[in-house]
């Protein structure tokens, strides 16, 4: 039975519905939450509070709501409607993708920033040891980090306000090491639209610095990626004013150095 729907904000700003359920066993697993995939799914299924729903485990991992038993809907049940304001920053939300995706377009949204910090900290990106969800949340709550470049200005003393001394020293060390991260890892951490892990690697091989990537033409990106459509998409992402300002700010974190071999300096991280 559906108790409620909560709304979570991802790093790209997509606001995703999560079904809160009465505990039930599916494929020998105790389930209390299930995915609704996109906000439009809530509207399409016309979900109401206390609905009896059918579940399916997608790939035996993520439970999905796949149906509603209308015969068991309680009289006077309240329909579930998507929010009009972001649950994190209270910025007005916008519908995208033909009314399927609900989007918070506030780049400074705290929930978005928390998740962007965690994306940057992944082992596949900058590998920032100690940057846990709790630490990310506290850094944002205390306004120690208002955008990604702020993270690299933090000292071990700053970090001690949100974590123990030893952990703060370890994270400060990780941040220092990240200043010489390969371009591909920086790109993987930034999470630009269209930049998957393999695309980040190819871009890192073609462009030695972040500045070089920013100034690349669509034709140069296409030469590196072998796809005109993907090149155009990434060029748009890089030229987006907010992204451009962020990359410029990262360039002011430190000096500027070019990489001549894997694993050496990336502009903006030295």
């Amino acid at each position: 039975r559906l108790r409620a729907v909560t709304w979570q904000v991802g790093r790209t700003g997509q606001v995703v519905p999560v079904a809160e359920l009465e505990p039930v066993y599916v494929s020998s697993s105790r389930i209390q939450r299930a995915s609704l995939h996109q906000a439009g799914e809530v509207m399409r299924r016309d979900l109401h509070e206390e609905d009896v729903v059918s579940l399916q485990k997608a790939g035996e991992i993520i439970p999905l709501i796949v149906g509603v038993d209308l015969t068991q809907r309680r009289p006077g049940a309240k329909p579930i409607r998507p929010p009009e304001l972001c649950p994190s920053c209270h910025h007005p939300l916008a519908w995208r993708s033909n009314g399927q995706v609900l989007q918070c377009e506030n780049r400074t949204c705290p929930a978005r920033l928390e998740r962007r910090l965690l994306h940057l900290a992944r082992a596949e990106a900058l590998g920032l040891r100690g940057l846990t969800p709790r630490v990310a949340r506290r850094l944002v709550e205390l306004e120690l980090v208002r955008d990604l470049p702020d993270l690299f200005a933090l000292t071990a003393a700053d970090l001690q306000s949100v974590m123990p001394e030893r952990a703060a020293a370890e994270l400060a060390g990780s941040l220092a090491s990240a200043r010489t991260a390969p371009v591909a890892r920086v790109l993987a951490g930034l999470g630009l639209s269209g930049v998957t892990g393999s695309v980040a690697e190819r871009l890192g091989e073609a462009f030695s610095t972040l500045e070089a990537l920013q100034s690349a033409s669509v034709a140069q990106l296409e030469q590196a990626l072998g796809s005109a459509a993907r090149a155009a998409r990434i060029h748009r992402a890089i030229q987006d004013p907010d992204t451009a300002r962020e990359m410029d700010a990262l360039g002011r974190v430190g000096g500027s150095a070019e990489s001549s071999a894997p694993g050496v300096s990336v502009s903006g991280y030295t």
Side-chain angles (χ1 to χ4, degrees):
R1 190 175 292 274
L2 179 66
R3 287 178 170 171
V5 171
T6 55
W7 300 86
Q8 298 182 347
V9 186
R11 67 178 175 84
T12 65
Q14 183 173 342
V15 182
V16 179
V18 177
E20 308 290 344
L21 309 168
E22 288 185 359
V24 63
Y25 282 89
V26 178
S27 299
S28 302
S29 298
R30 189 172 187 265
I31 302 299
Q32 289 183 278
R33 309 182 92 193
S35 173
L36 284 160
H37 187 51
Q38 294 176 335
E41 188 73 1
V42 173
M43 305 298 289
R44 187 178 73 83
R45 293 194 180 279
D46 188 29
L47 292 174
H48 285 54
E49 292 180 358
E50 302 300 321
D51 272 351
V52 173
V53 298
S54 302
L55 297 177
Q56 176 182 319
K57 292 190 72 175
E60 293 300 308
I61 299 176
I62 304 171
L64 298 171
I65 287 182
V66 294
V68 181
D69 187 348
L70 297 179
T71 65
Q72 296 195 57
R73 178 169 288 169
R74 294 176 177 174
K78 184 178 178 180
I80 293 172
R81 295 290 180 258
E84 295 182 357
L85 302 178
C86 174
S88 176
C89 68
H90 309 297
H91 191 276
L93 298 175
W95 286 98
R96 297 288 180 260
S97 301
N98 296 318
Q100 290 302 303
V101 174
L102 197 56
Q103 188 80 16
C104 174
E105 298 183 336
N106 177 16
R107 194 175 179 86
T108 62
C109 173
R112 287 187 65 178
L113 182 54
E114 285 178 32
R115 284 159 181 78
R116 293 190 72 214
L117 288 171
L118 295 173
H119 190 76
L120 188 73
R122 295 174 307 135
E124 298 85 353
L126 298 187
L128 302 177
R129 298 183 303 277
L131 186 50
T132 63
R134 189 192 72 82
V135 169
R137 183 173 63 254
R138 291 295 292 151
L139 288 173
V140 174
E141 287 175 348
L142 297 176
E143 298 188 344
L144 292 171
V145 174
R146 298 184 182 186
D147 209 342
L148 293 187
D150 291 346
L151 183 64
F152 296 89
L154 297 179
T155 65
D158 295 326
L159 293 168
Q160 285 180 38
S161 63
V162 298
M163 60 200 310
E165 181 178 355
R166 180 175 294 181
E170 182 177 36
L171 179 52
S174 288
L175 288 169
S177 298
R179 296 173 188 272
T180 55
V183 170
R185 284 185 174 267
V186 177
L187 293 176
L190 288 176
L192 300 178
S193 177
V195 180
T196 62
S198 60
V199 168
E201 290 290 344
R202 294 171 73 175
L203 290 173
E205 293 172 358
F207 302 99
S208 60
T209 67
L210 291 180
E211 286 90 345
L213 177 61
Q214 283 181 277
S215 61
S217 66
V218 175
Q220 289 173 312
L221 291 170
E222 182 180 355
Q223 184 176 6
L225 300 173
S227 167
R230 177 164 284 172
R233 180 181 180 186
I234 292 173
H235 188 266
R236 285 194 299 271
I238 293 171
Q239 298 305 316
D240 173 80
D242 289 329
T243 300
R245 281 193 295 270
E246 185 171 80
M247 294 179 78
D248 288 341
L250 286 171
R252 292 193 296 272
V253 168
S256 178
E258 294 191 357
S259 61
S260 57
V264 296
S265 301
V266 176
S267 174
Y269 285 83
T270 57

